[in-house]
Each structure stands twice: as C-alpha cells, then as structure tokens.
Amino acid sequence: MPTIKTCTKCEQTKQIAEFHKKASNADGYSSYCRACQTEYNRQYKSSQVGRAVQTLSKTRYERRQAEKELGYEIEDTLLPFHIIMIQAKSECLYCRSELQPHEVTVDHVRSFRNGGTNTYDNLLPCCRRCNSRKGDKPLLSFLRQHAASDLQLRRVVFELAQRQGRGYYDVWRSLQDDVEAVMNDEQASIQR
C-alpha cells in the first residue's frame, strides 16, 4: 500500500493521509488532496450551477419527506436549469427587496401539504425572510397580509400566470380557491 500520492490538482506529492478515501479509485483514495478538494467544493457551491444543484437537492428532499407524511407521490419535473432561471431574478417578488444571487430562495406557491408540486410553474423567487413567513400559507393569504400594495400583489399573480401559461384571472381564481380550501379545512377541524 502506497504511503504517498501526487495530487492531480496542485501536482504536489503528499502523505496518503492528506487524501480522502474513495473506493471507486484503483488505489482507494481521491485524486485531489484534501485542501484542493475543499477549495474545489467551495468554488462549486458558490457557482450558479452549484447553488442550483443544492437547491434542487433540498426541494427533492422536502418532496420525499412530504410524500412519506402524506402517503402519495408528488409530481417532480424540476431540472437544474429551472432553478437557475428562478435564481437569476435579483429581487424578492413578495417584498421587492434587492437580492444577491446567493440570497435568492425558491418558494413553492402551493406547498406540498396543500397539493402543490415540485415543478417550475409552482415556484417563485423570494428572499429567505418572506419564504419563512409564508410557510404553508396560501399565496393570496400571505400577500394580502404582507404585500405593500395591490400593485405588488398583481405583479406576483401576473408573474405566476406567465410561468404557468395561463390567464391572469384564471390564476387569480385558483389562488382564491386555495384560500377557501384551507379555510374549509380549518373549519372542519374545529368542528371535530
């Protein structure tokens, strides 16, 4: 068993202990030393593609958790380029604050627990604060509480209509239906 190895990134010869184990390689160790691998990972995670892949992994994990809880499959057609397109927006659609690329989060308009899907037409860009505040609430309820104006509320509905390829009033009606469904569920649980 070798005690030294040359890193293919920095081309320095180092002790084998300075390499991560990797069973798929012939010698059982990574081709990059630990320092080079750490730097590579840092750069990848801060890149546009790296952020998109991390976000996609997170939404898929949340979908799987919701599927276990709800007992049925949730549609998932989301691809990395969908996340890149969403994260390319530089403002939160809900509060209109300017965002740096690493600050953009994706919000599921209709949450998994309320019948939502993990698809491009169910996602909007927003800041972490608005995403947390909205939670599982219906979009229209959240916007009525937190939108600065009716114009801002209309902008969000218009963006969603464009994304879904539907008419503005059709989307507005479906958002109102979401609010009514949640209210009916709450009333039913109170009466039990």
Side-chain angles (χ1 to χ4, degrees), residues 14-187:
K14 299 182 176 187
Q15 293 295 316
I16 202 74
E18 293 187 50
F19 292 83
H20 291 286
K21 290 187 177 185
K22 188 172 184 180
S24 61
N25 284 0
D27 64 358
Y29 291 91
S30 175
S31 56
Y32 287 4
C33 67
R34 290 178 189 259
C36 290
Q37 187 65 52
T38 300
E39 179 59 21
Y40 173 82
N41 291 347
R42 187 190 64 74
Q43 288 178 2
Y44 179 75
K45 287 179 181 178
S46 66
S47 73
Q48 189 177 36
V49 173
R51 284 192 311 274
V53 169
Q54 285 179 305
T55 300
L56 185 60
S57 294
K58 182 177 180 248
T59 64
R60 290 211 166 125
Y61 172 78
E62 291 168 352
R63 176 189 50 84
R64 286 189 303 271
Q65 296 299 84
E67 285 174 340
K68 286 178 187 175
E69 183 180 311
L70 299 170
Y72 61 84
E73 278 191 37
I74 297 170
E75 181 183 1
D76 185 352
T77 59
L78 208 53
L79 298 171
F81 78 88
H82 292 134
I83 302 292
I84 290 171
M85 290 183 349
I86 292 167
Q87 290 179 334
K89 300 281 186 179
S90 62
E91 78 172 0
C92 173
L93 275 183
Y94 302 151
C95 69
R96 300 203 54 205
S97 62
E98 289 294 318
L99 302 172
Q100 296 298 318
H102 66 278
E103 296 174 323
V104 179
T105 65
V106 292
D107 177 50
H108 288 83
V109 174
R110 182 182 285 171
S111 71
F112 295 141
R113 284 155 187 79
N114 291 328
T117 59
N118 205 30
T119 57
Y120 177 70
D121 62 352
N122 189 41
L123 299 175
L124 290 175
C126 66
C127 65
R128 191 172 312 281
R129 181 172 159 253
C130 286
N131 201 343
S132 294
R133 285 169 46 191
K134 180 181 168 286
D136 283 345
K137 293 179 198 142
L139 179 62
L140 213 48
S141 294
F142 171 75
L143 290 174
R144 285 181 176 151
Q145 290 174 351
H146 300 286
S149 67
D150 282 344
L151 178 63
Q152 185 179 345
L153 190 143
R154 287 189 204 115
R155 284 183 67 223
V156 174
V157 175
F158 182 74
E159 173 79 22
L160 193 56
Q162 281 187 313
R163 183 154 303 177
Q164 294 178 353
R166 296 167 52 198
Y168 177 88
Y169 291 105
D170 186 31
V171 171
W172 181 266
R173 184 66 214 155
S174 71
L175 292 173
Q176 286 181 321
D177 290 345
D178 290 347
V179 172
E180 291 171 13
V182 169
M183 289 173 61
N184 290 339
D185 288 347
E186 288 174 357
Q187 287 177 348

